[in-house]
Amino acid sequence: PLSDADKKQLRPAALNRLIDKKLIDQKVKDLNISVTDDELRQTIEDVKKQNKITQENMISALANQGLSFDQYKAQLREQLERIRLMGQEVRAKVQVGEKEIREYYYANPKNFGADEFFRARHIFFRINKNAKPEEVRKALTTAMIVLQEARSGKDFADLAKKYSDDPQAAKDGGELGTFKKGDMLPEIENAVIDMKSDEISDLVNTPAGFHIIKLEERSPGKLRPFDEVKGEIEELLIKKKSDERFNQWLADLRKSAAIEIKSR
């Protein structure tokens, strides 16, 4: 249950939301913003199409949320009116120039970099699904010995050829190839993500067994071309400016409105 202090904090917030709603509703009326029945009907059809549901499915889903179809239509009409108001009063007046887009692009290179690539080898110690505890201990002991040999400077590929349970290791020395985030098992990815080139991991435990990973190379992603991300940045900046302008517009609306709040 909420404490008295929590209730006192919630009351002003709830009151402010109610006031904002009344102000916005009044502004919608003042500007004669309206949504036709055809527009509302088409929006509902779009919602059903996007979610691949029938009219019956929609009514049932709304009922589970405690809403009738008429209540949903009323809420949707209100949302569409507000979106139209937002476009007319705020978004249409927001401008973002190419200079501003380029400045954001160069100031936030990490946001627009291509995927980083990793090249690694591993030495694999298989643990069968029904392995007995002593078999697991034996594999773990061998893995720890090999890990020490690898860290002492012995050739990693030769160790993989000698000890790895990966059948390909005898030919390729445990080569995992080049990969990016999302391509490998999560346990292996988590191991290499913070490693430096030529670094050797601790033992990595996966559902299949133990791995020793050597990160041979990590290639930083190149910056995606400006023209490729220009639209993405522009939309981001427009949204940011729109949100800021809307908050200011709403604050100005509050100041200009004569609202009497009767205390009870």
Side-chain angles (χ1 to χ4, degrees), residues 133-198:
E134 56 267 27
E135 293 174 325
V136 176
R137 284 196 297 270
K138 182 178 178 181
L140 179 59
T141 300
T142 303
M144 291 299 295
I145 292 170
V146 175
L147 176 61
Q148 293 305 315
E149 290 185 8
R151 286 182 168 172
S152 70
K154 290 191 176 180
D155 185 272
F156 195 90
D158 287 345
L159 291 172
K161 290 176 181 179
K162 182 176 180 181
Y163 293 104
S164 183
D165 291 328
D166 181 347
Q168 288 295 317
K171 297 179 180 179
D172 61 20
E175 181 68 56
L176 286 173
T178 301
F179 56 92
K180 62 182 186 297
K181 284 185 69 174
D183 288 347
M184 300 298 290
L185 287 170
E187 296 87 352
I188 293 178
E189 182 177 297
N190 290 337
V192 302
I193 202 75
D194 294 320
M195 290 171 62
K196 299 175 183 177
S197 294
D198 291 327

Side-chain angles (χ1 to χ4, degrees), residues 91 94 96 101 229-243:
R91 188 156 182 146
V94 169
V96 175
I101 296 172
V229 297
K230 179 181 176 181
E232 180 182 331
I233 299 172
E234 183 177 21
E235 190 61 31
L236 184 151
L237 292 177
I238 286 175
K239 184 182 183 309
K240 181 174 181 292
K241 282 190 172 185
S242 295
D243 289 344

Side-chain angles (χ1 to χ4, degrees), residues 23-87:
L23 287 171
I24 291 171
D25 290 345
Q26 186 59 49
K27 196 68 176 177
V28 166
K29 291 178 182 178
D30 292 345
L31 295 173
N32 293 318
I33 292 172
S34 63
V35 174
T36 67
D37 290 342
D38 283 343
E39 289 172 325
L40 185 61
R41 191 179 304 111
Q42 185 57 55
T43 301
I44 292 172
E45 289 303 315
D46 289 343
V47 170
K48 290 193 290 188
K49 187 176 180 180
Q50 288 169 9
N51 291 279
K52 298 179 180 178
I53 57 173
T54 64
Q55 178 75 10
E56 291 73 21
N57 294 147
M58 173 176 272
I59 291 172
S60 176
L62 290 170
N64 289 335
Q65 299 175 40
L67 285 175
S68 70
F69 186 64
D70 286 341
Q71 287 173 322
Y72 172 71
K73 285 200 299 183
Q75 289 184 6
L76 186 58
R77 186 187 294 275
E78 186 177 273
Q79 290 172 4
L80 292 172
E81 288 172 346
R82 290 188 176 197
I83 289 170
R84 193 159 291 178
L85 172 67
M86 181 80 165

